[in-house]
Amino acid sequence: MSGSTLGNWLQSRWQSIVAGIPFIWLLVFFLVPFFIVLKISLAESLIASPPFSKLLDWGDGGLPSLNISIDNYAYLWEDSLYVRTYLNSIKIALICTVLCLLIGYPMAYAIVRAQGTTRYILLLLIILPFWTSFLLRVYAWMGLLADQGTLNSFLMWLGVIEKPIRLLYSQFAVYVGIVYSYLPFMILPLYANMEKLDTSLQEAAADLGAKPMAGFFTVTLPLTAPGILAGSLLVFIPATGEFVIPDLLGGGNVLMIGRILFNEFNSNHDWPVASAVAIALLIVLVVPMMLYHKVQAAEARRGT
Amino acid sequence: MKAKRSRFLLGMLCFGFAFLYVPIILMMIYSFNYSKLVPVWGGFSTRWYTTLFQSEDVWAATALSLKIALLNATFATMLGTLAGIALSRLHSFRGRTLFTGMISAPLVMPEVITGLSLLLLFITLNQLIGWPAERGITTITVAHITFSMAFVAIIIQSRLAGTGRDLEEAALDLGAKPFRVLWDITLPQLAPGMVAGWLLAFTLSLDDLVIASFVSGPGATTLPMLIYSRIRLGLRPDINALATIIILTVTIGVLIAGWIMIRQQRASAQDAEHT
Amino acid sequence: MTQESAYPWREEGATPFISIRNITKRFGNFIAVDDISLDIYKGELFGLLGGSGCGKTTLLRMLAGFESPTSGSIIIDGADMTQVPPYERPVNMMFQSYALFPHMSVEKNIAYGLKRDGVARDEVKDRVADMLAMVELSDFGKRKPRQLSGGQRQRVALARALVKRPKVLLLDEPLAALDKRLREQTQFELMNIQDRTGVTFVVVTHDQEEAMTLSTRIAVMDAGRFMQIGEPAEIYENPATKYIANFIGSANLLPVTIGAKSNAAYEVQHVLSQTAFTVSSDQTLNAGDELTLALRPEKILIDKSPLADYENQITGIVREIAYLGKISTYRVETPLGVTLEVTAPNQVRPKGTGHRIEWDDEVYLGWNTDSAILLKD
């Protein structure tokens, strides 16, 4: 192919190329895998390799027969462990989202109100943990919360307690770990939203007689709602499926669905049940995920 | 009243930053602890750094992680840039809704689901076409590209949304064909966004434990996988040392990037004042 | 109570409604407002005029309570307001951006201030309806601000600020966001509403024409200080400085040396060309003083034939003509070595070429002794 033909080809087809390459990649490596998970979740588990039955079987007479089994889902539903774990995951994620909001909102607000270079430095300090290893930051809390860890030593030195209290490997440690790890995800969308807020609106509220509290609840809070929503979803969705934090900080005591899935797959090798757990988790999260997608799209539209 | 509110905000800011930074700083301090028991101070020592540097596993895992991160960042930036341009400049093509959905989903998708689904894909593909023959560097890289390109695409899209179409339209007006415009105008404008995207993809890959654990095979252990296998059973002083090195490296990198950003910010603010 | 005068500021001992006393505002090392004092009277439509960064907006924001002065005090209707927060001041503001709450309907925006004051629901409803009627937006109450045009938004902002019946209404560049035609029309609406409600208005603007049209009095500000305070005609006819002469309207400025005095007029000499003119002035000036002679373009008569009855006359050649419809502006090169700007009404329709002034025509310029003024700086 000569240079000019290649040029002409690019010229006429460039739009298909630009959109097509990433599209195909995502189709193959993101969308198709979900259908495979869905398919396996409907299979029966076997002790074989791969350890599940085929969905489509060519029977003796050459006629295909479809093996669909909802046994895995029925199993999830009947075993109260799974239901409890789902509920517990949602509860933990919800409480952590609220805690992140309570800590993150005033922080984002304070950063927006800072001037010039101070503002950039504060923002950088929020982003910095985001770039450092997630795993190591969780590990840092293991040192802080251990029986002989810094927090226990400090409390004993203060005389508040006499012997170490159980902090690590508890529900409390999981809450701390999730809030700690996901706090920047709450602050950044809030900051982005508040930065665009026209301060004359708050002044107008004060001018019209709204005391600071009233002004906050009638003007600032409603106008920052999109940021609150985006931040909350960015915390809630991944926190629900979190694996590392409950595994390292929660020990065996805290039931979260991400851990169950990981263990079902890696220790029990029960692929169909693991797949069913994944699909069920996805069903729980599909509404918040679509909501996030809508917020994201609205934000992109506002940018143009 | 105003002063009271400011004090509350300042207090929250201090509390928040203490919460974010005290654990990391303590972890770094304890990396210089002589004692084998991490939380019990036994005097200053750099012995764990020596242990760390002598550990071949750590070197091998670091090399593998860096290799994957480099490959991932490069491919994810290319794919993510194309996706970002498609999202913000091509408004009507078939499957656009599906496309935007597939771009924004990986940002919030729980890692366990992404990891599981990719593993099952690789197994299925192996049965069907014999690829990938074994799981390791290739499968981890492909998995990382898939989720990091979404982050790059969002960065590129927001950058393009911020800059108007004026320059592109001027180029069209001056006789450049659409593909030329893309090459001559759009891509150079995107360079800072692509750098940011590359760095983010690099970090995301270095950071990932869950997805890599799913799609890796025997023999391929990334650095997070190695760290995880060691700390699962409790505190390890050599991991404190490793953490200190990693965090310091990243911090210095981010500070340099931040310093450049602040300087540019000041320069453009001054330019704006002069005009 | 005595009958209120239409021009209270002209009277000795009249009680000011707003009294600004020795106000200074510093931001770090920058002095935005520099020790100024001002009295504004009830029912005035007071204009604060100046370029950007002159301190006019800072002064307005101190009146609203968004900034507190570094020193000095603000008294409104007899009460010291200096330390009173904005939400407790009997003052409302119309923001330059209008600052309409985007998440509330027009009605809710207007009702907002009344609700904060705990006004009964029925009364809120009535007063909002009245305001909507006044600004002719009765059919738009349910709309959101983004569904309105620029002019409609401006009226909502006005209604929202006025519904609380403030003692003072502050307007920050109220017409800046509107296009020219709408601006002229809205100017008169604003004056009309001010007249009907009797509320004291303080308007900040950078547009001298707007300030002239709207205001009962104008304060011209520069670098944090007042350069001149007065009625529009007073400022136009007797600008205190060269800066004001050029900022309000335009003026030909000629450096001159003072000569002999005869009657109420001085003999002056143009520094560059030594040409002599006579100018009347009630200032006490000494021979040899160097001053500036300011001459408004419309005070100069221009003709193709020599002029009778003008004390000051020179000739010149027309170098540029700008035809503006009802008037034309001529730039005339003179033997003084300077080009003078002259405006003249276009009274006759230009049919033939006989009467009309064309490019490169030789013309006669003339003005009276009391048409020009002498400025010290």
Side-chain angles (χ1 to χ4, degrees), chain A residues 282-299:
Chain A
L282 209 56
I283 290 167
V284 170
L285 292 181
V286 81
V287 171
M289 280 170 84
M290 278 166 67
L291 206 58
Y292 178 76
H293 178 66
K294 270 180 87 171
V295 173
Q296 190 78 22
E299 200 62 24

Side-chain angles (χ1 to χ4, degrees), chain A residues 129-203:
Chain A
F130 191 76
W131 292 83
T132 58
S133 168
F134 174 75
L135 187 58
L136 291 173
R137 280 184 291 134
V138 175
Y139 173 69
W141 277 98
M142 289 174 69
L144 208 64
L145 297 174
D147 284 357
Q148 290 173 303
T150 324
L151 201 58
N152 266 318
S153 313
F154 182 65
L155 291 175
M156 286 201 292
W157 177 77
L158 277 181
V160 180
I161 51 171
E162 284 188 4
K163 55 178 189 204
I165 47 168
R166 197 87 226 252
L167 294 171
L168 190 58
Y169 306 130
S170 69
Q171 192 112 341
F172 167 76
V174 175
Y175 283 117
V176 171
I178 293 180
V179 171
Y180 175 73
S181 304
Y182 288 98
L183 188 57
F185 291 92
M186 178 63 85
I187 295 177
L188 290 175
L190 277 173
Y191 172 83
N193 174 271
M194 288 176 184
E195 196 192 19
K196 279 179 271 181
L197 195 66
D198 182 1
T199 49
S200 67
L201 292 174
Q202 288 155 312
E203 286 181 351

Side-chain angles (χ1 to χ4, degrees), chain A residues 7-8 10-11 14-19 21-23 25-34 36-37 39-40 49-50 52 102-104 106-111 113 117 120-137 139-144 146 148-150 153 169 176 179-180 182-184 187 212-213 233-234 237-238 240-244 247-248 258-259 261-263 265-266 271 274-275 278 281-282 285 289 292-293 296 300 303-304, chain B residues 1 5-6 8-10 12-13 15-17 19-24 26-27 30 37-40 79 82-83 85-86 90 93-114 116-125 127 131 142 145-146 149 154 157 161-162 177-180 182 196 199-200 203 207 209-210 213-214 224 227-228 231-237 239-240 242-243 246-247 250-251 254-255 258-259 261-262 265-266:
Chain A
N8 284 337
L10 282 175
Q11 210 60 262
W14 72 279
Q15 291 197 333
S16 321
I17 299 164
V18 165
I21 295 173
F23 192 92
W25 182 284
L26 286 171
L27 218 55
V28 173
F29 293 111
F30 192 76
L31 197 62
V32 169
F34 283 114
I36 296 176
V37 174
K39 184 196 116 177
I40 293 174
S49 177
F52 54 87
L102 290 179
I103 303 172
M107 283 181 81
Y109 195 66
I111 295 171
R113 280 166 44 117
T117 312
Y120 277 91
I121 291 171
L122 292 176
L123 199 59
L124 203 64
L125 284 172
I126 297 292
I127 297 171
L128 190 60
F130 191 76
W131 292 83
T132 58
S133 168
F134 174 75
L135 187 58
L136 291 173
R137 280 184 291 134
Y139 173 69
W141 277 98
M142 289 174 69
L144 208 64
Q148 290 173 303
T150 324
S153 313
Y169 306 130
V176 171
V179 171
Y180 175 73
Y182 288 98
L183 188 57
I187 295 177
M213 272 299 183
L233 291 169
L234 272 180
I237 300 167
T240 309
E242 184 55 49
F243 158 71
V244 176
D247 195 57
L248 289 178
R259 268 189 77 205
L261 198 158
F262 197 88
N263 291 339
F265 194 82
N266 281 320
W271 293 12
S275 298
L281 175 57
L282 209 56
L285 292 181
M289 280 170 84
Y292 178 76
H293 178 66
Q296 190 78 22
T304 46
Chain B
M1 203 69 192
R5 192 170 52 164
S6 299
F8 168 71
L9 287 177
L10 194 68
M12 283 308 290
L13 211 55
F15 168 77
F17 280 118
F19 180 58
L20 286 178
Y21 284 95
V22 167
I24 296 177
L26 282 172
M27 171 172 66
Y30 278 102
L37 280 167
V38 174
V40 183
L79 286 167
L82 290 180
I85 292 172
L90 310 179
F93 58 86
R94 247 176 297 150
R96 193 187 143 85
T97 317
L98 178 65
F99 191 53
T100 53
M102 286 197 298
I103 289 287
S104 77
L107 303 180
V108 284
M109 185 64 71
E111 292 164 316
V112 280
I113 296 181
T114 313
L116 175 72
S117 62
L118 276 163
L119 172 62
L120 295 177
L121 171 80
F122 291 135
I123 291 170
T124 312
L125 281 177
Q127 288 171 343
W131 181 93
V142 167
I145 292 170
T146 306
M149 67 179 278
I154 296 299
Q157 188 193 8
K177 290 183 181 153
F179 184 72
R180 263 254 84 92
L182 181 71
L199 288 170
L200 185 61
T203 323
D207 212 19
L209 164 71
V210 177
S213 300
F214 270 104
I227 295 171
Y228 175 71
I231 62 176
R232 263 207 95 166
L233 302 171
L235 300 163
R236 293 263 310 229
I239 297 297
N240 282 50
L242 181 62
I246 293 176
I247 288 170
V250 173
T251 306
V254 172
L255 287 184
W259 182 68
M261 197 176 81
I262 288 172
Q265 191 73 24
R266 278 209 190 127

Side-chain angles (χ1 to χ4, degrees), chain A residues 41-75:
Chain A
S41 76
L42 295 171
E44 283 164 36
S45 56
L46 299 170
I47 301 170
S49 177
F52 54 87
S53 68
K54 282 187 179 140
L55 196 61
L56 216 55
D57 226 353
W58 298 96
D60 298 332
L63 287 168
S65 66
L66 209 55
N67 299 324
I68 291 180
S69 132
I70 55 159
D71 288 359
N72 300 312
Y73 291 97
Y75 173 64

